[in-house]
Amino acid sequence: MLSNLMVTNQKVVLIIDQLNRERIAAKFIDSLLKEQGQGEEVKVLPIGTQLKHVASIETLLGDNNNPKNAINVILPTLADLLCYHKPAHIFQFINRLRRCEHVSRVFLWASPQLLLHADAEYILAGCEYLSELVLRLETDTTLSLLSRKPGGGVSNKRYTCEVSKTEFKVKPLVDAAANAATVTEVKSEEGVKAADPGGTFKIELDEDEMVARNALTLPYERTSDTATEGNIIYTPDADDDFDDEDPDEDLLI
Amino acid sequence: MAASVLLACGLNEQKLPGFVHISEESNVDGSFLISCILGQRLRISNAGTLLICLQHHYQHYFNAGMRLGYNSNIFLGKTLNVIDVLSDMAQQGLDCKWLRSSDELTLTEQLIEDIRTQLANNYANRTSYTILIDNLSILFNLGASKLHVQQFCQSLAALAKEHENLTVITKLSNSDIHQLTDDNVAKLGNVRIQVLRLKSGVFREVDGKLLIERVLDEGSYACEQSRKEVLYKVNDRNVKIFNPGEIGVKV
């Protein structure tokens, strides 16, 4: 299911819709969260004319003061946001949400064919830059998922999808191609397995492995969360002998 | 006179969808749809209608109505109210409120204020209410930006959501030129009617094509939509509808 790939540790999620499904954007995201049992902690921002009131956006951060209940925020679509707010204001707001510890995830929906702004391409690129997970709904049967890990790793994978009104099934596109290769191989040469041409290692991850990998917090990520600094505080004794001259000066380094 | 075209568009019922958008391609005239819908709404007893004349003045719709078999003057001031922007501009010139920004309101803000006032005065007395806007693209000619038009349409869609029996019907001409605005307005509603010219050229028996798209059900991940194509011919006193392939050149 798509929700396994979308509801992960990544905080800012951008959905680029090339199929004109903007009218169901909020429902789409809400369904993803519900499938992962996150349906209760959702805050949907006002849409349309209600967006005129800047205060309603700003107050969102102040509303949830209890750190135990981190919320998922579903932003209005980028087309609606651009209708009432300047791009700089939108970027600032997304950035603030990203830093806010009471917010577990931020979802933004963008349909490139509906962006009225003159610099729509740059704005969309800016949103992509801010996002940690970018889902691109390319066609009715294919999508791509770009994932940026906190450690700096980036993966860009394509999937085939099977969409009904209530279900969104995905299958890695590479695996599908490999499976097809395997079937033809088996037919032509029984007993010989279609191995990865790169070797005997299994490089690709299936959906469950991907979820497990995304859920795992690596030790160096844990330490980077804490705000402790690694400075060495040294208080010199009165008898310490300090030499102002460089002791290695004669080495001509 | 116009029942067949309304039936094809699914607009022949007493209760209409909240927001309907008509996209009119360049070099075709879809104004007949506004006249047809107006006649249908006036025939329903105690159904209120607000006509916003941006492309044609009220007299045009009266004349068109007479040809289609209804007299709109009988309903004027009763179930029919009119905001005649064109006539106001012709009569008052540059002093007209549509040409000068009073109270720092833009043209579209002024228009939505007037619509709200009309709605406040008339909605409660009527079983249903329809707002007909004959051409959004005229707003561009009057100085409104794309953003203003988009905000205006969002305000209209918000009104339709706030009021249970309110229907907003908009039309945008040159939809192929104003593609972005057209798509953004169409997404606000569940019914979109595209008035398209014939790709093969001009034909004496057929004026153009109507493509009617209707969202039947909004699922979690996909929408169930229906698409229907019909050909139309606007005659002097009626509008005829044909199925594609029904009319052909007989040699």
Side-chain angles (χ1 to χ4, degrees):
Chain A
M1 285 192 294
L2 179 68
S3 60
N4 289 337
L5 305 171
M6 293 291 290
V7 185
T8 58
N9 281 343
Q10 272 96 337
K11 201 163 183 178
V12 183
V13 181
L14 173 68
I15 300 167
I16 299 174
D17 159 42
Q18 295 173 335
L19 304 172
N20 210 4
R21 286 187 186 149
E22 186 159 307
R23 65 172 70 239
I24 53 163
K27 258 189 182 180
F28 188 103
I29 298 164
D30 198 38
S31 304
L32 291 177
L33 290 167
K34 275 181 184 159
E35 277 177 14
Q36 294 297 313
Q38 305 259 341
E40 289 172 9
E41 312 287 340
V42 179
K43 181 110 184 171
V44 185
L45 259 68
I47 53 164
T49 49
Q50 295 161 314
L51 271 175
K52 270 183 196 169
H53 311 292
V54 180
S56 63
I57 283 188
E58 297 300 329
T59 48
L60 175 76
L61 296 175
D63 279 356
N64 198 311
N65 291 323
N66 188 357
K68 282 179 186 173
N69 293 332
I71 52 167
N72 294 295
V73 179
I74 302 176
L75 292 173
T77 61
L78 190 58
D80 277 5
L81 278 170
L82 284 171
C83 203
Y84 295 98
H85 296 286
K86 289 178 181 172
H89 185 242
I90 297 168
F91 290 142
Q92 275 173 6
F93 181 59
I94 295 172
N95 209 22
R96 280 182 66 185
L97 285 173
R98 193 169 65 160
R99 289 177 181 187
C100 181
E101 59 181 4
H102 308 320
V103 174
S104 56
R105 276 170 220 97
V106 183
F107 291 90
L108 176 65
W109 186 286
S111 300
Q113 67 273 30
L114 294 179
L115 299 178
L116 266 179
H117 203 280
D119 301 318
E121 277 181 34
Y122 295 104
I123 294 164
L124 190 58
C127 291
E128 278 190 65
Y129 175 74
L130 283 173
S131 307
E132 288 153 10
L133 197 64
V134 181
L135 169 71
R136 195 180 287 270
L137 300 171
E138 292 170 351
T139 64
D140 283 330
T141 53
T142 56
L143 59 89
S144 70
L145 194 66
L146 187 137
S147 168
R148 294 192 186 96
K149 300 286 243 153
V154 179
S155 70
N156 190 0
K157 294 191 174 171
R158 297 188 75 226
Y159 296 83
T160 55
C161 54
E162 211 176 291
V163 189
S164 69
K165 276 200 286 185
T166 52
E167 263 190 335
F168 202 119
K169 290 179 186 167
V170 290
K171 207 174 171 186
L173 199 61
V174 181
D175 277 6
N179 285 344
T182 313
V183 170
T184 49
E185 194 103 349
V186 165
K187 276 182 184 172
S188 61
E189 201 176 324
E190 271 191 25
V192 181
K193 286 186 180 177
D196 187 352
T200 54
F201 291 104
K202 182 174 174 284
I203 297 167
E204 296 302 324
L205 298 176
D206 63 23
E207 199 180 313
D208 294 337
E209 288 166 337
M210 175 83 81
V211 172
R213 195 183 71 171
N214 287 335
L216 182 70
T217 311
L218 297 171
Y220 67 88
E221 289 170 0
R222 256 181 257 144
T223 49
S224 63
D225 286 342
T226 53
T228 53
E229 290 181 6
N231 294 339
I232 298 168
I233 300 165
Y234 174 65
T235 312
D237 289 334
D239 298 331
D240 276 358
D241 180 23
F242 273 100
D243 195 352
D244 290 335
E245 288 178 9
D246 184 8
D248 297 328
E249 194 177 11
D250 56 332
L251 295 177
L252 297 173
I253 295 170
Chain B
M1 299 289 180
S4 56
V5 69
L6 293 172
L7 186 70
C9 298
L11 300 176
N12 58 329
E13 291 162 21
Q14 288 215 356
K15 185 168 169 52
L16 297 180
F19 195 98
V20 178
H21 179 59
I22 302 166
S23 310
E24 186 186 272
E25 215 180 17
S26 306
N27 295 330
V28 285
D29 188 4
S31 298
F32 69 93
L33 277 173
I34 297 287
S35 294
C36 294
I37 296 166
L38 179 64
Q40 192 263 353
R41 299 320 288 169
L42 292 178
R43 283 192 183 102
I44 300 168
S45 66
N46 205 29
T49 307
L50 174 63
L51 176 66
I52 292 144
C53 304
L54 287 164
Q55 186 181 8
H56 301 294
H57 50 68
Y58 170 72
Q59 195 61 32
H60 165 87
Y61 290 103
F62 166 71
N63 293 334
M66 290 303 281
R67 283 180 179 272
L68 288 172
Y70 66 89
N71 183 352
S72 59
N73 274 350
I74 298 170
F75 306 95
L76 192 62
K78 294 167 191 165
T79 56
L80 173 65
N81 298 100
V82 178
I83 298 177
D84 199 341
V85 178
L86 281 187
S87 296
D88 288 351
M89 284 195 292
Q91 285 162 13
Q92 297 162 25
L94 291 173
D95 291 335
C96 173
K97 66 178 176 182
W98 309 112
L99 294 177
R100 62 181 165 80
S101 55
S102 59
D103 306 328
E104 295 179 0
L105 289 179
T106 60
L107 168 72
T108 48
E109 284 170 343
Q110 180 69 55
L111 201 53
I112 199 79
E113 278 302 310
D114 280 27
I115 291 169
R116 281 206 181 99
T117 311
Q118 289 279 356
L119 204 60
N121 294 336
N122 300 310
Y123 178 75
N125 309 325
R126 306 290 168 212
T127 50
S128 64
Y129 205 77
T130 308
I131 300 171
L132 277 165
I133 301 172
D134 71 353
N135 201 342
L136 290 170
S137 61
I138 302 297
L139 294 171
F140 295 127
N141 302 341
L142 294 174
S145 65
K146 284 179 186 173
L147 209 60
H148 285 142
V149 174
Q150 176 62 17
Q151 288 174 355
F152 173 66
C153 292
Q154 290 206 346
S155 302
L156 290 171
L159 280 179
K161 277 182 188 161
E162 284 167 24
H163 300 80
E164 198 186 345
N165 292 319
L166 177 68
T167 300
V168 178
I169 299 173
T170 56
K171 183 171 77 97
L172 180 82
S173 61
N174 297 326
S175 61
D176 43 347
I177 297 168
H178 307 297
Q179 185 76 51
L180 269 173
T181 307
D182 189 49
D183 288 342
N184 271 302
V185 178
K187 80 172 181 192
L188 298 171
N190 286 344
V191 181
R192 181 187 200 174
I193 302 165
Q194 293 186 59
V195 188
L196 308 166
R197 59 175 176 265
L198 292 175
K199 280 182 185 165
S200 51
V202 184
F203 183 37
R204 194 181 54 172
E205 302 292 329
V206 176
D207 284 341
K209 188 167 70 174
L210 294 177
L211 175 61
I212 302 125
E213 291 171 315
R214 187 180 276 260
V215 177
L216 301 172
D217 186 22
E218 288 181 359
S220 303
Y221 296 115
C223 290
E224 189 187 340
Q225 280 184 311
S226 72
R227 282 165 65 93
K228 188 177 174 184
E229 258 187 46
V230 288
L231 305 173
Y232 71 88
K233 168 73 182 169
V234 182
N235 293 318
D236 200 26
R237 291 183 180 275
N238 61 13
V239 183
K240 278 190 175 174
I241 292 294
F242 310 99
N243 286 322
E246 194 178 324
I247 284 192
V249 179
K250 294 183 180 73
V251 184

